[in-house]
Amino acid sequence: MKRTNKIWVAVALLLTTVGQTFADEGMWVLKELNKENLARMQELGLTVPIETLYSETNPCIANAVVIFGGGCTGITVSDQGLVFTNHHCGYGAIQKLSSVTHDYLKNGFISQSLQEELPVEGLKVQYLKETVDVSGRILSQIEGIDDEFKRITKADSIGQAICDSIGKDNSSLSARVIPFYSRNKYYLVVYNVFRDVRLAFAPPSSLGKFGGDTDNWMYPRHTCDFSVFRVYADANNQPAEYSANNRPYKPDYVAEISLQGYDEKDYAMTIGFPGRTNRYLSSWGVQQRIEDSNKPRIEVRGIKQDIWKKAMLESEAVRIKYASKYAGSSNYWKNSIGMNRGLARLDVIDRKKSEEAAFAAWVNQMPARKTEYGDVLHLLEKGYTSSAEYQKYATYLMEAFAGGAEIIRLARIINSVDVKNSTPEEIDERINGDLQAFYKDYEPTLDQHVLAAMMRIVKERVPASFLPDIYGKVDKKYKGDYEKYAADVFGNTMLTSFEKVSALLKNPKQYEKVMKKDPAAVLSLSAMLAMYDIQQQVAAWDNDIDKGERLYLAGLQEMHPDRSFYSDANFTMRMSYGTIGGYRPYDAAWYNFYTTDKGILEKEDPKSSEFWVQPEILNMVKARDFGPYANEQGGLQLCFISNNDITGGNSGSPVFDKNGRVIGLAFDGNWEAMSGDIAFEPDLQRTISVDIRYVLWMIDKWGKCPRLLEELKLVK
């Protein structure tokens, strides 16, 4: 085939992939929903008007959706501030409140009155107040700036000034100017921040986390992944710090809950806060993600998690301390494994190369395009290939030292306290805040084993020129025996003692002397300097990448003027829509669109920490007393799947039916489509959600907590 023909075949391919967005693909900014979106939503079955879903002037469904914690979504379901989210989203809060005496992770938590609800220090819920397009104010002032670093710096400075004008000293407001479409557009996003949030209900982990790591990112699923919290406000219904005098928050809108269930091909819609996607990533960017980010992360976290898991199985106290940390680490570890498999299986890199070839052909058609976009692909290739090696070693260092051995992070926390210029009250605040929280869930003996393993894997994978300088001293003194080195660090540091550190922070002269010589502090400083140095090497290519990505997306939008583009996810409110339905994961197999109570009995294993279920719950399932939550066959539907487009951050997102009523809570994606953050696959990509009737059954039959059910707007 002639080269010219190959190019135009690539152009044709691009028009059927990039140029044509599948109707159900996309995480859409609600302000940007267009006629095509609305027509497709109605075609799929939506019956309520768009103003019911989203309005900038009147109460609407979107008003009930919240940011829960630092990276999840929740839905407001009562006029007394009750919020449903996932169990794994509330897991850190539940763990924080747990102890060996009150093991709410293992046994669950039920409050039978407002007075019994437990405040969670540090937990916040945010309600979206407004979203304002400020693109004109920013782009008009950076037009003509060719240097990408200066362009971004100027835009960020303007954005910060806009935020400061909103409420610089108002802790109940959070304002950010956020770039969209690879910095081709900017929105001001403002939230009301509520910091008095209390745990009202949680199922035991045997159901809330049923299947554990084995089932994570997998389907079929049978987990009852939900938890219930309540938002409190002051006497004027405004955000406030915790106070015994605060009252349940009266929200602008309360979501209705449907007991009607769903059928295959029924309309399904999510509104939530997806974290990050990279759908417009170049082939070189995908290659770097696979080789230089995911692979090192998989290796290092696997080693750390094996050490943690062994200790957790041997001690109940350690299990409680590390439950949330392990879950957080394992979640993205398994995601990285699945993403690499999916990207390879779906030939995403080759598809990206075809898209880039088509883009190059389009650019070369006109001199004006060559002037504007002629250097785009070169910038991307140069930026990613030149930084690849540095990125790989940076990932090893970050995973092993910033996210692996906790003693390094502990030393960083202690080092960050400005003991000379802080008041005694400020010192006490730090001691009783993040330091106390760290020590509560820290096991030095366990961390000693992790440190030895992290030192070893870094030495094996990272060239000497990038290693922290501590390695020269360690290898000379300990001859590569990292277990011995770790034992000496933990045997001689005073940083593992909360009492000693507390006293040290109150003695500036002693503090400076100790921190210069303490072996854990010396190690931490060496590791931090090495990480900083290599990150500078990676960042040297950021300007080429940022500029290339900005112009590439701008060029694609110009290339396809009739196409509706959606911006990559960036933890702002988004809507996705689609239908409920099964899928074919591989040849000769079919997954039904919902699971039932039978799956619990089929998977339950009293010898497994992941599939053990309390006998009383098993008896409830066997009795099949599902009441009004049963389907037509008398069974209980547990989880269901739809082709909604979601990613991390959507956990806890409400799934709405055609009437705008909650039918489930999204909690996971499926293993076959872990490449979805980079490439949406309509035939494979599925959102896994817990059926809201399963949630209600647990609150009613297991929790025997009618007071919570009475608050809900149930539609039968």
Side-chain angles (χ1 to χ4, degrees):
M1 183 182 292
K2 293 182 179 180
R3 184 175 182 275
T4 303
N5 289 339
K6 288 182 179 179
I7 289 176
W8 287 108
V9 167
V11 173
L13 177 62
L14 181 64
L15 291 173
T16 59
T17 55
V18 170
Q20 175 188 338
T21 302
F22 288 93
D24 304 335
E25 176 184 347
M27 305 173 197
W28 299 89
V29 177
L30 277 74
K31 285 177 71 76
E32 297 181 347
L33 288 173
N34 53 52
K35 293 180 180 179
E36 289 77 14
N37 295 133
L38 299 179
R40 178 57 174 161
M41 292 160 71
Q42 291 169 350
E43 178 187 348
L44 293 173
L46 180 68
T47 61
V48 297
I50 186 62
E51 293 78 13
T52 301
L53 303 179
Y54 176 74
S55 172
E56 297 189 354
T57 56
N58 300 316
C60 61
I61 289 174
N63 294 151
V65 182
V66 303
I67 295 178
F68 182 87
C72 279
T73 301
I75 179 67
T76 311
V77 292
S78 88
D79 62 3
Q80 297 182 61
L82 210 60
V83 170
F84 282 0
T85 188
N86 287 154
H87 181 265
H88 76 261
C89 291
Y91 200 73
I94 301 166
Q95 181 271 337
K96 195 172 189 176
L97 296 169
S98 292
S99 63
V100 174
T101 305
H102 298 289
D103 192 346
Y104 302 131
L105 288 176
K106 181 178 180 180
N107 303 318
F109 174 77
I110 306 166
S111 62
Q112 296 294 357
S113 67
L114 292 177
Q115 291 71 31
E116 292 182 9
E117 295 176 354
L118 300 178
V120 185
E121 185 179 358
L123 181 60
K124 60 184 179 182
V125 163
Q126 300 180 67
Y127 284 84
L128 180 62
K129 186 176 187 291
E130 61 178 342
T131 302
V132 182
D133 188 345
V134 293
S135 302
R137 296 172 63 180
I138 293 177
L139 295 177
S140 63
Q141 297 187 57
I142 62 176
E143 186 178 0
I145 300 178
D146 188 61
D147 183 283
E148 200 67 15
F149 177 78
K150 292 180 179 178
R151 181 185 176 94
I152 292 174
T153 302
K154 179 70 170 178
D156 290 347
S157 175
I158 299 168
Q160 187 58 56
I162 294 173
C163 292
D164 289 346
S165 69
I166 298 298
K168 185 176 181 179
D169 299 319
N170 188 346
S171 63
S172 67
L173 283 181
S174 171
R176 290 188 300 150
V177 170
I178 304 174
F180 288 69
Y181 299 99
S182 299
R183 294 187 177 271
N184 286 294
K185 194 170 187 176
Y186 292 84
Y187 280 114
L188 166 68
V189 185
V190 184
Y191 299 94
N192 287 315
V193 184
F194 292 80
R195 290 185 168 83
D196 187 351
V197 184
R198 308 181 195 183
L199 176 64
F201 190 99
S205 290
S206 64
L207 283 195
K209 200 171 169 54
F210 184 73
D213 290 331
T214 299
D215 272 8
N216 191 23
W217 300 110
M218 308 298 286
Y219 188 78
R221 293 292 285 278
H222 304 83
T223 178
C224 197
D225 197 349
F226 85 99
S227 53
V228 185
F229 292 78
R230 192 184 303 279
V231 178
Y232 282 75
D234 64 17
N236 297 315
N237 203 41
Q238 296 301 307
E241 299 291 336
Y242 169 79
S243 168
N245 296 323
N246 285 345
R247 306 170 182 177
Y249 173 59
K250 301 292 184 183
D252 291 336
Y253 190 95
V254 175
E256 294 182 337
I257 293 177
S258 173
L259 289 174
Q260 295 175 319
Y262 43 82
D263 290 317
E264 193 166 18
K265 298 184 180 179
D266 275 359
Y267 179 81
M269 172 179 63
T270 64
I271 301 178
F273 294 86
R276 183 156 300 280
T277 56
N278 297 98
R279 296 280 171 80
Y280 307 105
L281 193 63
S282 67
S283 60
W284 304 284
V286 176
Q287 181 73 20
Q288 188 178 97
R289 174 72 68 86
I290 294 170
E291 297 294 333
D292 306 316
S293 293
N294 287 351
K295 284 186 177 180
R297 180 179 300 110
I298 292 165
E299 183 176 25
V300 177
R301 290 197 184 194
I303 294 169
K304 176 188 68 177
Q305 289 162 195
D306 285 345
I307 297 171
W308 280 0
K309 186 71 171 179
K310 183 175 183 294
M312 291 167 69
L313 291 173
E314 292 173 350
S315 166
E316 286 291 293
V318 173
R319 177 185 61 79
I320 293 172
K321 287 182 178 182
Y322 279 78
S324 182
K325 289 186 280 192
Y326 183 92
S329 176
S330 177
N331 190 53
Y332 200 36
W333 167 77
K334 192 168 184 179
N335 177 280
S336 297
I337 295 172
M339 180 184 291
N340 278 9
R341 289 183 54 177
L343 292 171
R345 186 180 67 252
L346 298 170
D347 296 322
V348 171
I349 290 179
D350 285 343
R351 288 163 51 183
K352 292 284 185 179
K353 288 180 178 179
S354 296
E355 295 165 5
E356 289 153 5
F359 179 79
W362 174 80
V363 168
N364 287 327
Q365 287 177 353
M366 297 177 62
R369 293 177 189 166
K370 292 177 70 174
T371 300
E372 183 73 13
Y373 304 115
D375 203 32
V376 167
L377 297 180
H378 173 67
L379 286 170
L380 291 170
E381 181 179 14
K382 183 177 68 170
Y384 279 113
T385 57
S386 299
S387 62
E389 181 182 38
Y390 302 117
Q391 180 62 56
K392 176 185 290 186
Y393 302 143
T395 304
Y396 273 112
L397 292 176
M398 291 294 292
E399 288 289 335
F401 296 137
E406 295 173 278
I407 190 69
I408 293 173
R409 182 165 68 90
L410 172 60
R412 287 179 64 194
I413 295 173
I414 297 169
N415 251 324
S416 69
V417 181
D418 186 359
V419 295
K420 286 186 177 180
N421 300 309
S422 298
T423 65
E425 292 76 19
E426 290 171 334
I427 295 291
D428 285 340
E429 185 177 347
R430 290 297 302 274
I431 291 172
N432 298 322
D434 50 1
L435 269 173
Q436 189 173 52
F438 182 96
Y439 283 104
K440 174 182 177 291
D441 295 324
Y442 183 53
E443 195 67 34
T445 304
L446 172 56
D447 198 31
Q448 177 180 320
H449 296 301
V450 173
L451 174 60
M454 297 297 98
M455 293 287 292
R456 183 178 299 105
I457 189 62
V458 167
K459 181 62 183 296
E460 292 172 355
R461 297 290 184 264
V462 178
S465 58
F466 296 115
L467 289 174
D469 61 8
I470 194 77
Y471 272 90
K473 302 172 186 177
V474 171
D475 289 345
K476 183 178 180 179
K477 182 176 181 180
Y478 299 92
K479 310 300 181 186
D481 189 340
Y482 296 115
E483 283 78 9
K484 187 175 181 181
Y485 167 66
D488 273 4
V489 169
F490 279 84
N492 292 291
T493 183
M494 66 175 292
L495 303 190
T496 55
S497 168
F498 176 65
E499 291 74 19
K500 290 181 179 179
V501 168
S502 298
L504 182 66
L505 292 174
K506 298 176 181 179
N507 188 337
K509 292 183 179 179
Q510 186 70 10
Y511 170 86
E512 187 173 347
K513 180 179 178 181
V514 168
M515 294 304 287
K516 281 184 178 179
K517 296 182 178 180
D518 187 277
V522 171
L523 166 64
S524 179
L525 179 60
S526 178
M528 290 303 112
L529 289 174
M531 282 187 277
Y532 175 78
D533 286 344
I534 200 167
Q535 285 171 339
Q536 293 297 102
Q537 303 272 19
V538 175
W541 301 100
D542 283 351
N543 290 339
D544 285 344
I545 292 172
D546 290 338
K547 185 173 184 177
E549 291 182 340
R550 174 174 61 83
L551 291 173
Y552 185 45
L553 184 50
L556 287 175
Q557 290 175 308
E558 185 178 331
M559 183 179 177
H560 302 289
D562 297 328
R563 175 189 170 191
S564 295
F565 283 78
Y566 58 88
S567 178
D568 269 319
N570 54 10
F571 203 51
T572 55
M573 182 178 283
R574 304 296 180 94
M575 172 191 289
S576 69
Y577 52 86
T579 55
I580 292 169
Y583 71 105
R584 191 175 302 283
Y586 46 83
D587 185 47
W590 178 259
Y591 285 159
N592 193 23
F593 65 95
Y594 67 91
T595 61
T596 71
D597 54 285
K598 294 179 181 178
I600 295 177
L601 302 180
E602 291 170 352
K603 287 184 174 181
E604 187 271 332
D605 181 357
K607 298 180 181 179
S608 168
S609 61
E610 296 181 320
F611 293 95
W612 173 82
V613 179
Q614 282 94 334
E616 65 270 20
I617 295 179
L618 282 179
N619 291 335
M620 289 171 55
V621 174
K622 291 175 182 177
R624 295 175 64 78
D625 178 18
F626 302 132
Y629 318 113
N631 61 19
E632 293 180 355
Q633 292 75 39
L636 183 65
Q637 293 179 201
L638 308 186
C639 300
F640 65 93
I641 50 176
S642 59
N643 62 1
N644 295 103
D645 192 359
I646 69 166
T647 189
N650 273 119
S651 291
S653 292
V655 183
F656 298 100
D657 64 11
K658 64 182 180 180
N659 301 308
R661 296 166 183 156
V662 178
I663 55 174
L665 301 173
F667 67 84
D668 217 346
N670 59 317
W671 184 247
E672 297 81 12
M674 287 291 93
S675 58
D677 283 356
I678 294 173
F680 183 81
E681 296 299 327
D683 292 335
L684 286 176
Q685 196 150 328
R686 294 295 182 271
T687 291
I688 311 173
S689 305
V690 58
D691 193 311
I692 201 66
R693 294 171 294 180
Y694 190 13
V695 170
L696 299 177
W697 178 74
M698 279 297 293
I699 295 174
D700 186 354
K701 301 298 183 179
W702 176 78
K704 296 179 174 55
C705 197
R707 76 178 189 98
L708 296 183
L709 297 176
E710 290 167 0
E711 292 185 33
L712 308 178
K713 290 186 175 182
L714 300 177
V715 180
K716 299 181 181 180

